[in-house]
Amino acid sequence: MPKKDNKIITTVPDASRLTPSDTAHAPLAERMRPKIIDDIIGQKSLLGANGIVRQMTESGHLSNLLLWGPPGCGKTTIARALANTTDMEFVPTSAVFVGTADIKKIMETAKMNRELGRGTLLFIDEIHRFNKTQQDVLLPYIENGTVVFVGATTENPSFELNNALLSRCHIGVLAPLASEDLMELLERAEKHIGKKLPLSREARIHVCQMADGDARFLLNTAEYLSNTNFDEPLSPDELDKAIQKRAPLSDKSGDEHFNLISAVHKSLRASDTDAALYWTARMMCAGQDPMYLFRRLTRFAMEDIGLADPQAMQIALSAWQIYERMGSPEGDLALTQLVIYLGTAPKSNANYRAQGAAQGAAEKFGSLTPPKNILNAPTRMMRELGYGAGYIYEHDTAEIFSGQNCFPESMRRQNFYMPKEIGFEREIKKRLDYWNKLRNKQ
């Protein structure tokens, strides 16, 4: 169906509307952006034979879609290719620049498009920046089909978007581009530019690793290198000097931040010390506040090591204090030493489980009074009421253990703390078993 001559409101320039002069001055990443789904590199889970995007394009019927993935993985490209493949009007915008009034204007134009027989695909980048009101404004237009909505976000949609909007969209998860995908993209860039980049074989591999799955970073680097005059192909070290290294992805507060600290914790719990060192280094390279790491590592010492190694908590506090006094880079080794110690320490969550079990019992049984034998009796009346009656002073016994009941009289004895046969808890278990044996003799 031929395009109708009607006005489309956009807040971000659409490459399909750029003049030849504009296109010539556009960044390489924009000039090389694929126009159709079949030309997109990577993202096989979405674009492969059974992928949701592939199924949409082949059926010719688009559904509302949320694309969630890191920067430079192809979210905008997929949205634009969806519009091109299905011959829809593509209206790109960003949640950073558009308000509720702008949305309503776009929808009025989309209604006119629909009356003229042409659908509209509304693409909103960084949709996680929309507040609840802005998200609610979208809902009726999405529900009545005024537009097909495609949103892009680098944040977990289930954390950032309300349930009403989530329930009306399919979610497509995009991964960082693999090294082989980036290598193919680098070759395409050279064909587009019309010359080989000044890179040795090792440097080609290195630049793809530096890109860290981000196609935009790779193409921007390729564009810079194409405009330089190096006498010889660059080695990896020379490439590092020629361009600024890309910091590993970590936003210090969003979804990726929690992914990385989760990786630190679970690597330590698995006693995979080398992996824990890597994830910690990733967070530090990305500018993570070391105080946050020390706080979480101290928590780990209590939760996942506990009394299996009583020194773990003290070493965590000492390393924390050393860093506070010395700062970086001198104090960085304190963090590294702490990670190594925690990773190689025996693991036990017995005290963590004991805390949860005791709290559960406190909530279940309510405000039970302690047994009278362990109550103080500072007044005559209290002594007459039986306070302190039958109390046995432990140090007066041969075993320094009386076995007297310290639980409420109406509550059967509970067993909250169950040490494991590992580390120092092995010795604690021997003591508890010995005392239980004495208690059972009574």
Side-chain angles (χ1 to χ4, degrees), residues 32 34 38-48 72-74 78 174-190 204-205 207-209 211-219:
M32 285 187 59
D38 289 336
D39 291 340
I40 298 176
I41 294 175
Q43 308 304 342
K44 299 302 181 185
S45 63
L46 296 180
L47 308 180
C73 65
I78 289 175
L174 288 79
L177 293 180
S179 294
E180 55 268 26
D181 295 329
L182 292 170
M183 191 65 74
E184 181 182 347
L185 185 61
L186 190 63
E187 293 172 357
R188 284 194 191 182
E190 290 176 323
R204 295 175 70 85
I205 296 172
V207 74
C208 291
Q209 292 172 337
D212 199 19
D214 187 337
R216 189 179 298 109
F217 175 88
L218 182 71
L219 292 176

Side-chain angles (χ1 to χ4, degrees), residues 51-348:
I52 184 172
V53 173
R54 174 67 59 186
Q55 293 294 323
M56 285 183 185
T57 56
E58 291 185 354
S59 68
H61 179 73
L62 302 189
S63 301
N64 302 308
L65 184 64
L66 287 171
L67 298 173
W68 170 30
C73 65
K75 299 184 291 293
T76 304
T77 298
I78 289 175
R80 180 173 284 135
L82 274 173
N84 290 338
T85 304
T86 54
D87 194 28
M88 298 185 73
E89 195 68 49
F90 183 62
V91 181
T93 188
S94 171
V96 176
F97 303 116
V98 69
T100 54
D102 299 308
I103 293 173
K104 292 177 181 178
K105 290 178 181 178
I106 292 172
M107 294 306 173
E108 288 301 317
T109 304
K111 289 178 181 178
M112 291 189 290
N113 286 344
R114 189 170 60 177
E115 292 174 359
L116 295 169
R118 185 170 179 77
T120 300
L121 188 151
L122 172 62
F123 174 69
I124 302 181
D125 197 13
E126 300 189 81
I127 185 63
H128 59 275
R129 295 182 182 272
F130 261 11
N131 59 35
K132 185 179 184 301
T133 300
Q134 289 171 308
Q135 292 180 42
D136 287 342
V137 168
L138 277 177
L139 291 179
Y141 300 108
I142 292 175
E143 288 179 334
N144 65 24
T146 300
V147 296
V148 171
F149 166 67
V150 178
T153 177
T154 56
E155 303 294 330
N156 189 325
S158 61
F159 294 158
E160 305 296 337
L161 302 179
N162 62 43
N163 290 332
L165 185 57
L166 284 173
S167 67
R168 289 161 176 80
C169 300
H170 294 287
I171 297 178
V173 181
L174 288 79
L177 293 180
S179 294
E180 55 268 26
D181 295 329
L182 292 170
M183 191 65 74
E184 181 182 347
L185 185 61
L186 190 63
E187 293 172 357
R188 284 194 191 182
E190 290 176 323
K191 290 180 181 178
H192 187 91
I193 295 168
K195 66 176 182 179
K196 282 284 186 181
L197 297 174
L199 297 171
S200 65
R201 177 179 175 278
E202 293 77 13
R204 295 175 70 85
I205 296 172
H206 185 57
V207 74
C208 291
Q209 292 172 337
M210 289 175 63
D212 199 19
D214 187 337
R216 189 179 298 109
F217 175 88
L218 182 71
L219 292 176
N220 288 343
T221 301
E223 185 170 25
Y224 164 73
L225 292 173
S226 70
N227 294 321
T228 57
N229 294 307
F230 293 103
D231 295 333
E232 298 291 336
L234 300 175
S235 68
D237 288 340
E238 291 168 335
L239 178 63
D240 286 341
K241 295 177 183 177
I243 63 174
Q244 185 178 4
K245 284 189 176 182
R246 185 175 192 266
L249 182 64
S250 176
D251 53 15
K252 295 190 288 184
S253 61
D255 191 51
E256 188 64 18
H257 162 82
F258 293 109
N259 287 342
L260 292 182
I261 194 61
S262 176
V264 172
H265 269 242
K266 289 182 172 62
S267 297
L268 288 173
R269 188 175 292 151
S271 297
D272 192 341
T273 307
D274 291 324
L277 286 169
Y278 167 74
W279 294 119
T280 302
R282 276 279 303 275
M283 297 189 77
M284 290 294 287
C285 287
Q288 178 63 58
D289 180 5
M291 296 301 103
Y292 172 80
L293 281 167
F294 279 111
R295 181 168 65 84
R296 295 300 297 263
L297 292 173
T298 302
R299 166 70 186 194
F300 179 89
M302 295 184 290
E303 178 179 338
D304 286 278
I305 296 175
L307 291 172
D309 184 350
Q311 291 297 315
M313 186 165 61
Q314 293 304 316
I315 288 176
L317 291 173
S318 295
W320 195 341
Q321 187 178 41
I322 288 170
Y323 190 92
E324 286 180 326
R325 290 189 176 186
M326 299 184 69
S328 183
E330 291 86 353
D332 291 349
L333 275 177
L335 178 62
T336 299
Q337 183 169 323
L338 175 57
V339 171
I340 293 172
Y341 190 94
L342 298 181
T344 56
K347 307 299 188 295
S348 173

